[in-house]
């Protein structure tokens, strides 16, 4: 791994909200259906911004580290058009959710996920998680038994364990964590600039790259720093073993942020109901770089294909 490409448990991308239908009056919207945007209160009272498109069987999207729910716009639009209910929320300290200045840990994030599932009544939900989102799913199964979750899709996952240790010799050297943490705390825009290229493909538009960078810089610096450290140092192998539902893993074989062998392949080996699909030549940002292919695989999984 190039030393400039420091640990990125996720990198950059975002896109604007996509409108599913012409805007109606607020009174008409309220009478016809619940609002498409709103907030859910977490267990500790933190306000979590939620977008909720369409109706039907629910699909809940979790973005990666330092990415808001906008990141999933292409996939949300695709599943909503297929008759599913597409839901996504901004992790605490991300996007339009509150920055409480505390509780940036995986137990709390798993509780936040449970709060969203419960508040929106998302029984039998398929959870689609990118990068760090996979750690939240795994901890939810360990902490809440995966209540409400029927299936899981992990895209560019960083599970099960990133850090090098005696029983994880292929992991990343902890010295890289210190190097990356120092740059992040001193110059977050520079950290973003360094980690941008391996997230995208060479033909990604400059406009899309700038959009992603701007969205990432809106993340709470406290939350970004604490979660980056937790993602790197936490051994999620016990959590991953608790995932007991059909799971699809999708990963690029040129993912620098989450090397295939260290992450997706190791995760699949822990899951008896897992299927792994590898995209040749693909980087970490699959929801933006491989939109059509990812959408097709996601719809096929939802329909049992």
């Amino acid at each position: 791994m190039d030393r400039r490409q420091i640990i990125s448990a996720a990198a950059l991308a975002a896109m604007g909200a996509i409108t599913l239908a012409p805007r109606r009056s607020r009174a008409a919207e309220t009478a016809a259906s619940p609002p498409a945007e709103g907030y859910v209160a977490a267990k500790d009272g933190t306000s979590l911004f939620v977008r909720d498109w369409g109706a039907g069987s629910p699909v809940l999207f979790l973005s990666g580290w330092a990415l808001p729910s906008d990141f999933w716009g292409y996939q949300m639009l695709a599943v909503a058009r297929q008759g599913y209910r597409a839901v996504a929320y901004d992790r605490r300290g991300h996007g339009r959710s509150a920055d409480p200045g505390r509780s940036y840990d995986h137990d709390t994030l798993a509780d936040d996920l449970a709060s969203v599932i419960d508040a929106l009544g998302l029984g039998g939900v398929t959870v689609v998680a990118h990068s760090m989102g996979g750690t939240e799913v795994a901890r939810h199964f360990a902490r809440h038994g995966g209540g409400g979750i029927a299936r899981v899709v992990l895209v560019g996952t960083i599970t099960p364990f990133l850090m090098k240790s005696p029983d994880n010799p292929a992991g990343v050297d902890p010295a890289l964590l210190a190097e990356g943490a120092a740059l992040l705390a001193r110059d977050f825009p520079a950290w973003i600039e360094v980690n941008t290229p391996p997230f995208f493909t060479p033909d990604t538009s400059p406009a899309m790259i700038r959009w992603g960078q701007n969205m990432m810089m809106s993340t709470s610096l406290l939350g970004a720093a604490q979660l980056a450290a937790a993602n790197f140092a936490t051994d999620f192998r016990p959590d991953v073993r608790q995932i007991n539902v059909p799971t699809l893993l999708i990963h690029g074989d040129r993912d620098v942020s989450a090397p295939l062998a260290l992450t997706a392949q190791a995760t699949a080996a822990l899951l008896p109901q897992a299927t792994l699909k590898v995209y040749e030549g693909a980087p970490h940002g699959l929801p933006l770089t491989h939109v059509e292919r990812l959408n097709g695989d996601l719809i096929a999984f939802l329909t049992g294909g």
Side-chain angles (χ1 to χ4, degrees):
M1 180 179 295
D2 190 291
R3 293 183 67 83
R4 296 175 304 161
Q5 297 163 349
I6 304 160
I7 308 169
S8 306
L12 319 165
M15 56 179 297
I18 299 172
T19 303
L20 293 180
R23 182 173 294 278
R24 297 175 293 174
S25 70
R26 184 169 297 276
E29 288 178 345
T30 301
S33 61
E37 295 179 347
Y39 288 86
V40 165
K43 186 178 179 180
D44 65 355
T46 299
S47 294
L48 304 174
F49 173 77
V50 178
R51 60 185 72 229
D52 190 347
W53 299 352
S57 298
V59 184
L60 175 61
F61 294 86
L62 300 178
S63 298
W65 175 82
L67 289 166
S69 55
D70 304 69
F71 174 69
W72 285 113
Y74 291 130
Q75 287 69 45
M76 290 183 68
L77 180 61
V79 302
R81 283 176 167 170
Q82 291 293 320
Y84 294 90
R85 180 183 178 187
V87 180
Y89 68 96
D90 293 343
R91 183 182 296 109
R92 59 177 57 217
H94 292 58
R96 284 184 265 180
S97 288
D99 175 10
R102 65 182 186 280
S103 302
Y104 289 109
D105 61 86
H106 286 90
D107 283 351
T108 300
L109 296 182
D111 291 348
D112 290 352
L113 173 55
S115 293
V116 172
I117 290 173
D118 292 344
L120 300 183
L122 302 180
V125 65
T126 298
V127 175
V128 184
H130 177 252
S131 193
M132 175 190 165
T135 69
E136 291 161 293
V137 174
R139 183 58 56 88
H140 184 277
F141 273 86
R143 189 169 172 85
H144 297 281
I149 300 176
R151 288 175 295 188
V152 170
V153 181
L154 301 178
V155 180
T157 186
I158 64 166
T159 54
F161 189 23
L162 291 174
M163 188 172 68
K164 185 175 183 178
S165 67
D167 66 344
N168 193 39
V172 181
D173 191 328
L176 288 177
L177 173 63
E179 184 180 336
L183 179 59
L184 190 154
R186 182 179 69 252
D187 192 341
F188 192 27
W191 188 99
I192 293 172
E193 191 71 24
V194 167
N195 287 278
T196 295
F199 188 80
F200 295 103
T201 55
D203 60 351
T204 304
S205 73
M208 179 66 79
I209 292 173
R210 288 193 302 271
W211 199 349
Q213 291 173 325
N214 290 337
M215 293 297 292
M216 192 174 188
M217 281 188 280
S218 70
T219 304
S220 160
L221 185 57
L222 175 65
Q226 292 187 353
L227 289 173
N231 288 338
F232 183 73
T234 304
D235 183 353
F236 292 102
R237 288 174 292 189
D239 303 273
V240 169
R241 291 188 181 98
Q242 300 303 310
I243 299 176
N244 58 0
V245 298
T247 301
L248 173 64
L249 295 99
I250 300 176
H251 215 91
D253 66 359
R254 292 189 181 178
D255 190 328
V256 174
S257 302
L260 176 63
L262 180 63
T263 58
Q265 288 179 342
T267 298
L270 299 175
L271 297 174
Q273 299 187 64
T275 300
L276 172 60
K277 288 194 173 186
V278 177
Y279 289 7
E280 184 177 354
H284 196 56
L286 298 178
L288 293 179
T289 62
H290 289 67
V291 174
E292 292 81 7
R293 183 174 179 184
L294 179 59
N295 288 356
D297 284 336
L298 178 56
I299 296 298
F301 184 69
L302 291 172
T303 57

